[in-house]
Amino acid sequence: KTPIAILISGRGSNMRALIDSCARPDYPARIALVLSNNPDAPGLEVARAAGLEAHAIDHRPYRRDREAHERALDAALRAAGVEYVCLAGYMRLLTPFLTTAWAGRMLNIHPSLLPAFAGLHTHERALESRVRIHGCTVHLVTEGMDEGPILGQAAVPVLAGDTPDTLAARVLRQEHRLYPAALHHVLAPRTAPEPHETDCLLSV
Ligand code: GAR
């Protein structure tokens, strides 16, 4: 199994989905490390309860030097023997130091159908734009925010009466399917399950 790290900033529900997939014997990744920039991230406790090594590397002492924070992250990733990094609700912009160091080996999940709605508040903006299909994207991380090559997308309908919260919940259910599927395709494309023919909403 390929050793991966998961970087979080908050509740860690996408991390939880990856933990559950990695627990399956036939899944090609194992979680070597969970890191958070936020010492109070509830996801850190979720990871520890699952028996994982989970640490906070607080960004605040590095406020004047983003790259120094990333050098600390990078050192922890390398010390743990990590080969791939999954950003899962990691809410810090990265500098070219980290995106270059992990080019092709760092994935992110974003709650919109990129290239639509890069950045924050994606569900509010989708509703304001009156799109009828919304969703989530897993992509490789590059220097530009939410700009890297797309690995997979899952779509959901926008329903009459949706609020940002109801739409976010519908997208999140798909995020939890998409992220493990996309990572499987990256690490072991030959053993990754094909999306169902009838499942037009999931494309990896
Ligand atoms: C997820 O919806 C993820 O797509 C989003 O933050 C949430 C984290 O939830 N990420 C971004 O907006 C990145 N720009 P989680 O902590 O429960 O996985």
Side-chain angles (χ1 to χ4, degrees):
K1 289 194 176 210
T2 303
I4 67 162
I6 304 176
L7 267 55
I8 62 171
S9 296
R11 71 190 158 182
S13 74
N14 278 288
M15 173 196 72
R16 172 88 249 172
L18 290 167
I19 291 172
D20 291 346
S21 293
C22 288
R24 293 204 320 261
D26 56 344
Y27 194 75
R30 68 177 172 85
I31 300 167
L33 184 62
V34 172
L35 291 177
S36 174
N37 65 301
N38 169 15
D40 300 322
L44 283 173
E45 278 314 312
V46 174
R48 289 177 189 134
L52 298 172
E53 197 182 328
H55 304 293
I57 301 180
D58 195 340
H59 64 275
R60 285 168 294 190
Y62 299 95
R63 201 169 310 228
R64 295 219 176 80
D65 189 352
R66 291 179 90 85
E67 200 179 300
H69 179 243
E70 293 183 356
R71 281 198 298 275
L73 293 173
D74 187 59
L77 295 169
R78 289 177 195 284
V82 166
E83 293 179 18
Y84 278 79
V85 177
C86 293
L87 306 183
Y90 186 73
M91 303 308 277
R92 305 260 322 150
L93 288 176
L94 300 179
T95 78
F97 169 75
L98 210 60
T99 57
T100 304
W102 291 89
R105 297 183 301 144
M106 182 180 273
L107 285 63
N108 181 44
I109 186 152
H110 181 77
S112 76
L113 292 174
L114 291 172
F117 311 125
L120 297 175
H121 309 300
T122 58
H123 309 302
E124 287 87 339
R125 289 157 62 207
L127 289 172
E128 279 162 17
S129 304
R130 299 180 180 276
V131 295
R132 307 305 303 270
I133 303 282
H134 185 44
C136 51
T137 301
V138 172
H139 64 96
L140 287 174
V141 175
T142 56
E143 197 180 326
M145 185 189 62
D146 303 327
E147 270 183 15
I150 290 172
L151 301 172
Q153 295 187 303
V156 302
V158 180
L159 302 178
D162 261 340
T163 65
D165 285 349
T166 60
L167 186 54
R170 193 175 307 119
V171 171
L172 192 65
R173 280 195 294 279
Q174 295 304 317
E175 293 187 42
H176 297 162
R177 299 176 62 219
L178 179 68
Y179 212 168
L183 179 65
H184 195 154
H185 268 265
V186 167
L187 297 179
R190 283 187 305 145
T191 64
E194 285 302 315
H196 286 283
E197 215 175 310
T198 52
D199 186 1
C200 62
L201 295 183
L202 178 66
S203 154
V204 173

